[in-house]
Amino acid sequence: MQTAPDARHRADIDDEPAAVLDSYRRRLGAPSLPFSRWAWAAAFAVFGLALVLRLWGLGSIGELIFDETYYVKDGYTITQQGVEMDWPDEPDAAWERGEVDTYEDTGAYVVHPPVGKWVIGLGMELLGADNPWGWRISVALLGAISVLMVARIGRRLFRSTTVGLIAALLLAVDGVHLVESRTSLLDLVLMFFALAGFGALLIDRDRHRERMAQLAARLHVAAEASPALGLPGGVRPWRIVGGVMLGLSCGVKWSGLYFLAAFGIMIVLWDWWTRRTIGERRWFTGGLVLDAIPAFLSTVGVALLTYVLSWSGWFASTKGYDRQWAAEQPGGGSGNAVMDALWSLWHYHARAYDFHVHLDTPHPYQANPLGWLLMIRPTNFYYRGYDYGEHGCEVARCASHILSVGNPLIWWLGTLAILACVVLAIRYRDGRAAAALAGIVGGYLPWLMYMDRTIFTFYTVAFEPWVVLCLAYVLGLLLGPPGAERERRLAGGLFVGSLLTLIVMVSAFFWPVWTGQVIDLEQWQWRMWLPSWT
């Protein structure tokens, strides 16, 4: 009769490690995120919507739009010569006729790194440089993929499939993201790699917390003390992936450095909080030695290496601008080819930096960053007026317009959501809100230091994923927690569902001025909600 009680006693002992582990997981806010076919299917459904919106009529405008005049031609020559090349005066008309090889035999002086132009050029390698589909396909695909990434990042960050899907839907139907996905500029490519870096660091955070929970639980059950500096962090490959992605974002535009800095601070704070939460007494010192220093090497160090490697085409070329600068100095350089190449690259960067800091030439669509979030002065990418009978115009006067203006509901409510997340992060120490704000800190706040420079509202696409993550999080709070009363969830669901429906309808209303549709002038005027939009 003694066998059954002994078996029960052994079962209680065997269950204790699992209970301790679950306790540490709860304290770290890292419950398991189970695989869900429904979550993946829903994310791919939103991705499909984003893909259709970005590819529909992508080549309908056979002209170089806005700054495509620089980046499309640079993207072509960089795949042909490894570097950007000079063009004769007024080359756009010939390019648009399909005469794509009229570039000159000298390297061009450009002020942005090469990664974004490689991305654009690869699309032309795939579909040809003699048609608009080839010019724009790469950026359009990255735009659609970034919607899928937001769905998965939102799910992981907020531990909610619904919140992730809301964020993805908002990004899929917003005008800033849509217009720049359909136009070959650099800013969406910058956003893509910064977002990918954020996602990789988020995966690293979850895996690190799971590892620390397991190690802490093991020591707890064994009644052993932790090492003097704390538990070892172990190998963290996703942090290296994050460093590569952030290095590529810097390789698109130097403003990627701000994301690198913001996310670097974020991951160090994450690790300190993890060590303090599991009860390590020397959490600050341990986090500094075991986490922060390795984090610097695996993010900043890897990002720097990635950035330098992104200039491989320039290093391999003899035609790149300033490529032979060091060798042409008195004395003929150092005699070391590698050092001369690096010194020449440094000189090139110094010239580009001087250009950026002194860029104050007035532009009709320049916009103070204080008004970016409210879409006070959006950027006009393309405008053509037509009379009756031209290009399908069936009234006295028509317009074809591509205006990089966001869905007003998304951006105006998103601004309020950012303020709400600031309160949640500071007053209630909500780490989810703080993480969502990290992209705003890296992508938006630095521009407030350059309000006297010539800058534009379309730069907002770089940090837009974090705007919609903040808005989706607040909408998720309005939905109510899963355990809330049925009436509470029903009311929240009806409100959020109605709001999302209205947002989609507003996006449908603005579709013609996001895609250059020919509409009558009165219809166009209905869509110019603010005088500053014209």
Side-chain angles (χ1 to χ4, degrees):
M1 297 299 293
Q2 192 69 19
T3 304
D6 286 346
R8 288 196 300 272
H9 182 61
R10 285 195 299 273
D12 291 340
I13 294 175
D14 290 341
D15 286 342
E16 184 182 356
V20 172
L21 177 58
D22 287 342
S23 174
Y24 276 106
R25 282 173 173 163
R26 287 193 300 272
R27 289 165 62 185
L28 290 173
S32 61
L33 197 63
F35 174 80
S36 169
R37 289 187 177 88
W38 178 85
W40 273 108
F44 271 105
V46 181
F47 164 72
L49 171 66
L51 191 63
V52 169
L53 294 177
R54 281 145 186 79
L55 296 183
W56 188 276
L58 184 65
S60 60
I61 296 178
E63 302 176 40
L64 294 171
I65 298 170
F66 194 51
D67 281 353
E68 282 187 337
T69 186
Y70 307 114
Y71 305 130
V72 169
K73 297 196 296 289
D74 285 347
Y76 178 68
T77 59
I78 208 169
T79 59
Q80 306 303 305
Q81 301 289 334
V83 293
E84 304 88 338
M85 304 294 286
D86 277 325
W87 292 81
D89 293 337
E90 304 296 333
D92 287 3
W95 174 273
E96 291 162 1
R97 290 195 302 268
E99 300 171 17
V100 299
D101 289 318
T102 61
Y103 57 88
E104 299 175 348
D105 196 41
T106 54
Y109 170 60
V110 295
V111 295
H112 293 304
V115 171
K117 288 163 278 189
W118 275 107
V119 169
I120 294 170
L122 290 176
M124 287 182 276
E125 287 290 290
L126 178 65
L127 298 182
D130 57 351
N131 74 88
W133 277 88
W135 311 342
R136 300 171 185 143
I137 186 65
S138 292
V139 179
L141 292 176
L142 293 190
I145 295 170
S146 67
V147 171
L148 177 62
M149 289 198 300
V150 163
R152 301 304 296 176
I153 288 171
R155 180 176 188 262
R156 179 173 291 274
L157 177 60
F158 301 116
R159 289 302 193 270
S160 169
T161 299
T162 301
V163 172
L165 292 175
I166 290 173
L169 177 63
L170 294 172
L171 194 65
V173 302
D174 181 64
V176 171
H177 193 274
L178 180 66
V179 168
E180 296 200 45
S181 295
R182 295 169 59 90
T183 314
S184 280
L185 273 60
L186 301 182
D187 299 85
L188 188 131
V189 184
L190 162 65
M191 176 276 293
F192 177 86
F193 287 119
L195 181 64
F198 180 81
L201 295 176
L202 195 60
I203 294 173
D204 169 76
R205 182 203 68 174
D206 286 354
R207 295 195 172 188
H208 177 64
R209 288 181 178 178
E210 173 64 20
R211 170 184 168 82
M212 298 299 277
Q214 291 180 1
L215 292 176
R218 195 173 301 155
L219 290 178
H220 184 106
V221 172
E224 297 178 2
S226 65
L229 279 178
L231 297 170
V235 178
R236 304 176 71 168
W238 281 102
R239 186 164 278 184
I240 296 174
V241 173
V244 171
M245 293 296 107
L246 292 171
L248 289 173
S249 74
C250 296
V252 178
K253 277 189 169 184
W254 288 351
S255 50
L257 284 168
Y258 297 124
F259 285 110
L260 178 62
F263 296 163
I265 294 171
M266 176 185 72
I267 61 177
V268 170
L269 294 177
W270 278 348
D271 289 345
W272 271 331
W273 182 86
T274 297
R275 291 186 178 277
R276 185 176 181 180
T277 300
I278 63 175
E280 290 189 353
R281 292 184 177 180
R282 303 182 66 185
W283 58 268
F284 183 86
T285 305
L288 181 65
V289 174
L290 299 176
D291 297 324
I293 294 175
F296 182 85
L297 296 175
S298 59
T299 52
V300 177
V302 169
L304 176 61
L305 178 61
T306 301
Y307 178 81
V308 173
L309 290 176
S310 74
W311 286 83
S312 295
W314 185 86
F315 285 122
S317 170
T318 58
K319 299 178 180 179
Y321 190 86
D322 265 353
R323 177 62 182 84
Q324 307 301 327
W325 178 83
E328 293 169 355
Q329 298 309 297
S334 68
N336 184 298
V338 174
M339 292 305 300
D340 283 352
L342 292 173
W343 186 241
S344 296
L345 184 64
W346 178 262
H347 179 262
Y348 190 173
H349 277 59
R351 295 189 62 174
Y353 176 78
D354 184 69
F355 169 85
H356 285 300
V357 297
H358 294 101
L359 181 61
D360 57 3
T361 305
H363 190 284
Y365 285 96
Q366 69 186 68
N368 190 301
L370 292 175
W372 285 3
L373 293 174
L374 299 177
M375 292 287 128
I376 300 299
R377 183 59 170 167
T379 313
N380 177 25
F381 278 20
Y382 173 89
Y383 182 88
R384 297 290 183 272
Y386 299 113
D387 294 323
Y388 178 79
E390 295 179 332
H391 293 271
C393 179
E394 298 180 351
V395 296
R397 189 68 177 164
C398 294
S400 174
H401 196 188
I402 297 178
L403 183 66
S404 182
V405 63
N407 181 312
L409 291 183
I410 292 176
W411 284 90
W412 297 344
L413 293 175
T415 302
L416 295 177
I418 291 171
L419 296 177
C421 284
V422 170
V423 173
L424 290 169
I426 296 176
R427 174 67 178 83
Y428 298 99
R429 299 183 181 181
D430 189 325
R432 296 166 297 181
L437 289 169
I440 310 295
V441 171
Y444 174 55
L445 292 188
W447 291 107
L448 298 178
M449 299 186 295
Y450 304 106
M451 290 191 289
D452 57 334
R453 281 182 41 192
T454 306
I455 50 180
F456 303 89
T457 301
F458 73 85
Y459 295 175
T460 55
V461 75
F463 60 87
E464 184 177 2
W466 293 273
V467 175
V468 297
L469 284 170
C470 287
L471 179 53
Y473 182 37
V474 172
L475 293 179
L477 295 177
L478 293 176
L479 279 171
E485 295 181 357
R486 182 176 179 276
E487 291 77 9
R488 167 72 175 82
R489 293 280 290 179
L490 179 61
L494 288 174
F495 176 78
V496 172
S498 299
L499 181 59
L500 292 176
T501 301
L502 181 60
I503 286 173
V504 171
M505 292 173 65
V506 170
S507 289
F509 179 72
F510 277 95
W511 170 263
V513 296
W514 290 340
T515 57
Q517 304 293 309
V518 177
I519 57 175
D520 69 72
L521 201 59
E522 184 180 10
Q523 290 280 343
W524 172 79
Q525 290 171 339
W526 289 352
R527 290 162 175 82
M528 299 297 105
W529 285 10
L530 299 178
S532 56
W533 289 9
T534 59

